[in-house]
Amino acid sequence: MSTVNPQQQRLDAGRAAAGRPGTLVLAIAVAAVLVVVGAAFARGLISVLDVFRIMQLNSVFAWDETPDTVMVWLLVLSVFAAVIVAGAYTRLAGRFTGGRTPAVRPFTLQALGFTAAAVVALQPSVNWWRAPSAVGVAVDPSFGRDEEWGPLAWVFYALPTVLAVGAAVLLVLSLAARIWRVRHEDGRGRLLARILAEGRAVPGTVSEVGETGLRINNVPLRRVVTAYVDHTGVRRWVTTDALIPEAETPVVGGPAEVRYLDADIAAQKNIAVLTGQALQRTVDAGAGGASAAGLTVSSSGVLFGT
């Protein structure tokens, strides 16, 4: 038996780990392992694909192909390793950033390793992709019945380049999407900081708390509806999906504070909702005392405190 809430204890421990150099070093080390796992997956996949490639490019009498058992196991184990290592990386990066999503996602790191291995495999000195008996024709060494390649054979012949280029395109798209996301979140964070500093504050009430069935980093995504009356006397409701830990779930009927910019009071992006500890910090600091620091921002632009 304990007098300390274990869930709150875990949250406090996570906050204490935020910003620690040791946590950052571990996250970088695990990120490097993710790159290696991506490269290992590419190596195993290339070996398996090459079996089918040679079967398409050479005559039936010029190949006796069976997959390399070691490479098959490498392919399978790298898939399991990717799941485990990605989870470890996400947890470590989340601890360092105080629960925020890491700037570089696990998929991007794995794509980096995969792309590097696929490009290396294109080098003439690397024999992960084997050369066919002849280009453009399936040579029959037994009966001399050579056959010209069909469209499918040419596709398999170009497979090494297609795989490398495709992996590079996915990597670039992943990086571009993440850069856009980070810039979007930064812009939203600046807007919310402005709302907290300059927005009109009115009291609100939590009218509904629902479950979405989703969890991210073991934190449930909840749907919260907050009712309030704006400064013109109009009653409004604002809905958001936000990551809120179990220990800090808003209570139906509980107090909230709604802040919004007068420029467009109906636009949800101009609204911030404070509940729980965020609201308490605002009360303790006095009017205008809240800031964006230490607060969790939901995907819809509504802000909940942790």
Side-chain angles (χ1 to χ4, degrees):
M1 189 176 102
S2 173
T3 58
V4 179
N5 184 337
Q7 203 164 38
Q8 187 63 47
Q9 196 174 34
R10 288 193 296 271
L11 288 172
D12 293 339
R15 293 190 182 103
R20 284 184 178 175
T23 306
L24 176 60
V25 171
L26 282 175
I28 293 175
V30 176
V33 174
L34 263 181
V35 175
V36 173
V37 169
F41 177 78
R43 177 66 183 93
L45 181 64
I46 288 172
S47 179
V48 172
L49 289 177
D50 194 46
V51 171
F52 298 98
R53 177 173 172 269
I54 292 299
M55 289 171 64
Q56 287 290 332
L57 302 184
N58 288 350
S59 166
V60 68
F61 299 102
W63 56 261
D64 182 12
E65 298 296 323
T66 55
D68 187 333
T69 304
V70 174
M71 292 297 108
V72 172
W73 276 109
L74 180 64
L75 178 64
V76 174
L77 292 177
S78 63
V79 173
F80 287 100
V83 175
I84 296 171
V85 180
Y89 167 75
T90 302
R91 286 193 297 272
L92 285 168
R95 287 180 186 176
F96 178 75
T97 60
R100 294 192 299 272
T101 304
V104 182
R105 304 301 296 273
F107 175 80
T108 302
L109 294 168
Q110 294 172 67
L112 176 61
F114 188 100
T115 303
V119 171
V120 166
L122 292 177
Q123 305 307 309
S125 59
V126 179
N127 62 352
W128 296 351
W129 296 106
R130 289 166 295 173
S133 301
V135 176
V137 60
V139 178
D140 181 355
S142 299
F143 300 99
R145 298 174 182 174
D146 300 346
E147 295 182 3
E148 292 187 359
W149 287 355
L152 183 60
W154 283 107
V155 170
F156 271 92
Y157 178 68
L159 185 58
T161 302
V162 171
L163 189 68
V165 172
V169 169
L170 282 178
L171 176 60
V172 171
L173 289 177
S174 175
L175 287 171
R178 190 56 191 155
I179 291 171
W180 178 89
R181 181 68 177 176
V182 169
R183 293 184 63 180
H184 175 71
E185 289 175 351
D186 287 345
R188 186 176 59 187
R190 287 191 296 270
L191 175 61
L192 289 171
R194 181 186 165 206
I195 294 171
L196 290 174
E198 305 173 9
R200 185 187 297 269
V202 297
T205 303
V206 177
S207 62
E208 183 181 344
V209 179
E211 300 286 345
T212 64
L214 298 176
R215 300 179 76 91
I216 300 177
N217 294 337
N218 207 32
V219 178
L221 184 69
R222 304 182 190 280
R223 182 156 296 150
V224 181
V225 180
T226 304
Y228 65 100
V229 177
D230 66 24
H231 66 287
T232 66
V234 177
R235 186 166 183 79
R236 300 178 184 274
W237 288 262
V238 59
T239 303
T240 185
D241 293 342
L243 292 171
I244 308 176
E246 298 282 356
E248 298 176 8
T249 304
V251 179
V252 174
E257 181 179 276
V258 179
R259 294 193 181 191
Y260 55 86
L261 298 175
D262 289 346
D264 188 357
I265 61 177
Q268 184 158 307
K269 69 177 183 178
N270 290 332
I271 302 173
V273 180
L274 282 72
T275 65
Q277 294 184 29
L279 178 58
Q280 186 60 49
R281 284 203 299 273
T282 306
V283 173
D284 293 343
S291 68
L295 298 175
T296 299
V297 182
S298 75
S299 59
S300 60
V302 179
L303 195 125
F304 284 86
T306 59

